[in-house]
Amino acid sequence: MSSSDRRTFLFAALALAGCGFRPAYGPGGPAETLQGAIRVADPVDKNGFDLVERLEERIGRPEAPRFDLAYRISTSIDSVGITTANSITRYNLTGRIAFTVKSRATGEVVESGTVTNFTSWSATGSTVAALVAEEDANYRLMRILADQIVTQLIATSGRWLA
């Protein structure tokens, strides 16, 4: 890193510190104690497994959880690419997850929300290739939605995570 890059970095860090900015996971940050504090409900299908896997990657596996996260996944598939011969060449997979976080101590819902997003895949090629592409789209979608949930948890943790 050049000296001008270091000066720019230090200036930016000081500017952020001066405005009250604190890293979410840093000392005294609102999400400092988020890691390992939430037990995600057990998955019941492949999408649930992929979602829980990503959530635990991001917020850690709970050792002594103080909160439970329940979720409800819904997905839908839309045909978006159709040839003149009425063959479908592209699909959109839309996913929606409604979630709630409850305190284990009180049973109170401390956070809830809904996240929505989509992925796509191409249906051109062999049947096996199309099936693998659809499976990959589901996997990517669950990771995207899990990341959105974690972002919301981090953003709101200052008011419910003590």
Side-chain angles (χ1 to χ4, degrees), residues 54-117:
R54 181 60 174 174
L55 287 170
E56 288 182 348
E57 282 177 17
R58 296 285 313 275
I59 60 175
R61 296 194 81 184
E63 293 180 20
R66 299 183 351 233
F67 303 94
D68 289 313
L69 187 148
Y71 57 88
R72 190 175 60 255
I73 301 171
S74 61
T75 60
S76 64
I77 298 173
D78 296 311
S79 309
V80 293
I82 302 175
T83 67
T84 55
N86 284 331
S87 295
I88 299 170
T89 60
R90 190 148 191 87
Y91 293 93
N92 276 356
L93 173 65
T94 302
R96 175 185 174 100
I97 299 177
F99 69 93
T100 57
V101 178
K102 286 185 179 180
S103 167
R104 286 186 148 204
T106 66
E108 174 190 2
V109 173
V110 296
E111 182 59 33
S112 64
T114 302
V115 293
T116 305
N117 219 310

Side-chain angles (χ1 to χ4, degrees), residues 109-129:
V109 173
V110 296
E111 182 59 33
S112 64
T114 302
V115 293
T116 305
N117 219 310
F118 78 98
T119 57
S120 298
W121 79 92
S122 174
T124 58
S126 70
T127 303
V128 172

